[in-house]
Every structure is written in structure tokens, then in C-alpha cells.
Amino acid sequence: MLALFGFLMVAVFMYLIMSRRLSALVALIVVPVVFALISGFGTEIGDMMLAGIKKIAPTGIMLLFAILYFGVMMDAGLFDPLIKKIVKMVKGDPLKVIVGTAILATLVALDGDGTTTYMIAVTAMLPLYRKLGIRPMILAVMPMLALGVMNMTPWGGPTARVMSVLHMDVSEIFVPVIPVMIGGIAWVMIVACILGKQERKRLGIMEIPDEDLQSLAGQEVAATDETAALKRPRLIWFNLLLTAALMVGLITSFLPLPTMFMLAFAIALFVNYPKMQDQKERIAAHAANALATVSMVFAAGIFTGILTETKMIDAMASTLVSWIPDSLGSHMPLLVALTSMPFTYFMSNDAYYFGIVPILANAAAAYGIDPAEIGRASILGQPLHVLSPLFAAQYLLIGMVGVDYAETQKFVLKWAFGTSMVMIALALLTGVISF
């Protein structure tokens, strides 16, 4: 009965959020509480909810300050010189323009936000695409591919969900995947070169005067500014070194990630905006994004807390194990990696990571497979998730570039599939997931 209630709970949760009957936040809280009551755990619900929230608290703190930190970096103009330099370097060569687009999108996507990535990349590069006659479809493809890889950062969403539902930290899920992500970015650059050579052959190289390039760069960077008063060009090296130090600390685990982001945010906010009023305004400007993400994480704590404390997850795992042929059980990490592509395309990240991944991890444990492997495998399908009809940011991208949705899907799908397959192959070769 516990397995039945567990499967019903996940099914109802997925139906409610995919049919838009309830928001993911509300469903994560209400659905498990209702099923806990039905299952006869009424007097224990409070303790179960609190247990889940306690386990997920470090992840929630990390996400809160990561969003605020990268928000301050964007406000201060950390990426503005990069945009200017890329526009000037690519000149009139379609190949350089497309590779430059891929580089820019990859770096901007470091904050894990699709909307920001698409807005900056398109705003900076669209005038060059139009001037040179490069197919606008390519300007839609490159940011999508870059975001599909960079969205795997802990603050991007999927990895945070995995860490929260499996109760693991960055060193177990994300750090082993970094070489795989580097390989994914290398593939994105290869795709940029392939498409760039095609456009160079079709269009040739156009000579654009330096003054026109400077005008394009200055105009488009200005277009990304909310207000010039927020920019801190004199602090660009400080902000860059601080961000680099933060990335090194993440890899080396010098301090727990939540505390590193808290410290880095406090330093960045104080140095860039020493006035109290400015600090309040910067926090308020990014509060909506931070609240939306962090509230979702704590709601997920309730969902996984009830699922775990009622032992539903154990019963569901036992049932799944009985369905899996013994010949396939030892290959679950690879199976999860491959199935994560269609799952994350047709389902929201909330439905997949909160509803399906915990079950797969518990089922794999019966075969002696580390749940961390399942967590890593489950994020390798993210390059296809950014094409999902449920991924709202892509509609902004398509609208800004001015391309057809269906045509974009057809054009980018094979490249996104290739990105996931490259990362899965690298994950197997490096031992990130086992075969």
C-alpha cells in the first residue's frame, strides 16, 4: 500500500503541475501532506516536514546567495567589457561571430539564468548578424546549446534539485561532473565552428570599419544596462578576481559552498555599492528571483521529507527493482542518463527531479549503485530540457531573434542531442557514471 500511495502521490503531483492546475510550489507542499493524511501519518506530518526542510536548508542558503551574488555582478557590469571585446574581435567574419556568440553565451550563462543569458547574447550580437546576413536561426541555437550545459551548475536549478532530493552536497554531485561539462562546452564550440564555416562559405568575409564596430559594441552594451549609474567599471578586475576565487573555492571545497557564497556576496555588495540605500536597492532588485527559487527548494524539502519519512520511497524502490530485469539493473546509471533526455524534455525539472529521480536512486541502491551516480546521470539530459515547451525562456529568445518555434526545434534538436551524448560518453570514460 505504501508503494501504491507513493506512486499515486508522484503521479498526482506531476499531473497537477504539468496541467497547470497548481503551481509547483503549492503542489510540492499540498500533495504530500494530503497523501500523508490518507496513509495514516496525520500525527507525524509536522516532524516529517521539518526533517525534510532541515536536510535541504544548506542548498536553499547556497541558492539564495548565489542568485544575489551573480545579480550584483551583472549590475556592476562584470560582463560588459567582454561583450565589447568579442564584438570588436569577430569583425566581419561569420565564423568568428558565431564562435564569439558561443563564448559570450557560455560565460553569461554562468549565472544559470536562461532569460539573462538570452537577453545579453541576443542584444549584443543581433546587429552583427543582421549586418553580415548570418541566419538568425544560428543566434537562437548557440545560446541554447551553451545554456544546456551551463544550466548544470549548482545554482542553475537541476543540480540543486538533485542535491536537495538526494541530500548530497556539491562535492558529490557537481564537482565530478565539471570535466564532463568542459567536454560539453568543447562540443558547443565545435558546433559553432561547423555552422560558422557554413556561413563563411555562403557569405564570405565582410570588411567593417573599426568605428562601426565600436558603435555597434557601445550601443548594444548600453542597451543591456538598466541604468548606467549601477556600473562599476573601475572595479572590473576586483569583481573578476572575486568570481574566479569563488569558482576555485567551489572546486577545492575550501569552505562549504553556502558560506562561500554568503561571504562573496557580502564582499561584492559592500565594495561595489558601499552606500546603505544602494545595497537595499540591489537586494530588492533580485529578491523576486531569489525568493521564487529558494521557496521552491524548501517546498521540495517537505515533499522529499514526507516521501522519505513515511518509507514510501523505500516501498516504491522495492517495487521498481522487482520490475527491472536483473540483466539491466547494474546498468542503471547509463539508463538514467539516456532516459533523462526525453524525461527532461517532456516533463518540467520539478516533476522529474522531485518526482522521478528519488525513486530511481533508491532502486539503484538495491543493486549497490551509489545514489550520487544516479544524481549525476540525471542532469546529463539538460541540453534537451532547454528546448522543452515547458522552458519559458526559450520563447523570449525566439521572439527576440525572430525565428519560428517549430523550425527552431527541428534545427537545434540534433545538436542538443549531440551535446548530451558527448557528455554521457565522457561521463562513462571518466567514471563519473558507471556502465
Side-chain angles (χ1 to χ4, degrees):
M1 287 299 293
L2 278 178
L4 176 61
F5 281 133
F7 284 121
L8 283 175
M9 185 171 87
V10 172
V12 170
F13 166 73
M14 291 168 56
Y15 168 75
L16 289 174
I17 64 173
M18 294 180 72
S19 64
R20 300 187 181 276
R21 295 287 196 279
L22 289 178
S23 68
L25 177 65
V26 174
L28 282 168
I29 299 171
V30 173
V31 172
V33 169
V34 170
F35 273 87
L37 288 171
I38 296 173
S39 305
F41 294 95
T43 59
E44 305 169 50
I45 289 179
D47 291 337
M48 292 176 176
M49 295 168 71
L50 192 58
I53 291 172
K54 286 179 178 178
K55 289 181 180 178
I56 218 164
T59 299
I61 295 169
M62 182 272 290
L63 283 175
L64 171 62
F65 286 94
I67 292 168
L68 292 175
Y69 177 82
F70 283 108
V72 168
M73 290 295 103
M74 290 290 183
D75 292 339
L78 176 61
F79 297 104
D80 288 355
L82 175 66
I83 295 173
K84 289 183 179 180
K85 191 171 184 64
I86 288 176
V87 171
K88 290 178 182 178
M89 287 178 60
V90 299
K91 295 187 180 295
D93 187 344
L95 172 59
K96 292 180 180 179
V97 170
I98 295 169
V99 172
T101 303
I103 294 172
L104 175 62
T106 299
L107 293 173
V108 178
L110 185 63
D111 74 339
D113 181 67
T115 301
T116 302
T117 300
Y118 293 160
M119 286 186 68
I120 293 178
V122 174
T123 303
M125 304 304 292
L126 187 57
L128 270 175
Y129 276 70
R130 288 174 174 168
K131 190 173 186 66
L132 297 177
I134 301 173
R135 288 177 292 169
M137 181 66 72
I138 296 174
L139 183 54
V141 170
M142 299 319 305
M144 278 186 167
L145 294 181
L147 181 65
V149 178
M150 298 306 292
N151 198 39
M152 294 163 61
T153 56
W155 48 88
T159 303
R161 290 173 171 87
V162 171
M163 291 189 299
S164 65
V165 299
L166 298 184
H167 309 302
M168 295 181 176
D169 60 27
V170 172
S171 63
E172 295 173 286
I173 300 295
F174 175 66
V175 173
V177 179
I178 291 176
V180 176
M181 289 180 63
I182 293 173
I185 291 300
W187 165 258
V188 173
M189 298 305 159
I190 291 172
V191 174
C193 290
I194 293 171
L195 297 177
K197 287 181 178 179
Q198 292 176 356
E199 291 300 281
R200 178 195 275 176
K201 182 178 180 181
R202 186 174 69 89
L203 299 169
I205 299 176
M206 180 185 296
E207 293 296 330
I208 302 178
D210 288 343
E211 56 269 21
D212 289 351
L213 284 171
Q214 292 174 3
S215 174
L216 278 172
Q219 173 187 355
E220 296 312 318
V221 170
T224 66
D225 294 345
E226 291 181 8
T227 170
L230 294 176
K231 301 303 175 184
R232 298 293 184 265
R234 294 181 180 179
L235 295 172
I236 185 69
W237 285 108
F238 172 82
N239 289 331
L240 183 60
L241 289 173
L242 180 61
T243 303
L246 182 61
M247 295 300 104
V248 172
L250 183 153
I251 295 172
T252 60
S253 299
F254 176 71
L255 289 173
L257 191 57
T259 59
M260 278 196 290
F261 267 112
M262 291 176 74
L263 182 60
F265 169 69
I267 295 171
L269 187 64
F270 175 74
V271 172
N272 286 276
Y273 305 101
K275 294 182 180 179
M276 186 73 71
Q277 185 59 35
D278 290 341
Q279 293 178 8
K280 290 180 179 179
E281 289 176 357
R282 290 304 87 220
I283 293 173
H286 303 289
N289 287 338
L291 177 62
T293 302
V294 175
S295 61
M296 192 79 71
V297 170
F298 282 110
I302 293 175
F303 188 94
T304 56
I306 289 177
L307 198 62
T308 302
E309 297 298 319
T310 58
K311 306 299 182 183
M312 287 183 187
I313 192 81
D314 296 330
M316 294 163 71
S318 298
T319 303
L320 275 179
V321 168
S322 68
W323 292 346
I324 299 173
D326 291 337
S327 58
L328 296 179
S330 60
H331 304 305
M332 279 199 68
L334 176 59
L335 293 175
V336 170
L338 292 173
T339 56
S340 69
M341 290 186 280
F343 271 135
T344 56
Y345 181 86
F346 291 109
M347 298 168 60
S348 69
N349 276 341
D350 295 320
Y352 179 60
Y353 291 106
F354 294 142
I356 301 298
V357 170
I359 302 172
L360 295 174
N362 277 269
Y367 294 96
I369 297 170
D370 187 347
E373 284 195 51
I374 301 301
R376 296 174 208 141
S378 69
I379 62 177
L380 298 178
Q382 278 302 299
L384 273 82
H385 174 70
V386 298
L387 303 178
S388 169
L390 303 173
F391 190 70
Q394 70 169 316
Y395 299 110
L396 170 68
L397 173 66
I398 291 168
M400 291 182 70
V401 176
V403 292
D404 179 70
Y405 173 79
E407 290 301 317
T408 303
Q409 291 278 314
K410 292 177 183 177
F411 190 86
V412 74
L413 188 60
K414 61 180 179 293
W415 301 115
F417 177 77
T419 307
S420 278
M421 292 305 297
V422 166
M423 291 197 295
I424 291 172
L426 287 172
L428 289 170
L429 289 173
T430 57
V432 172
I433 62 173
S434 60
F435 178 71

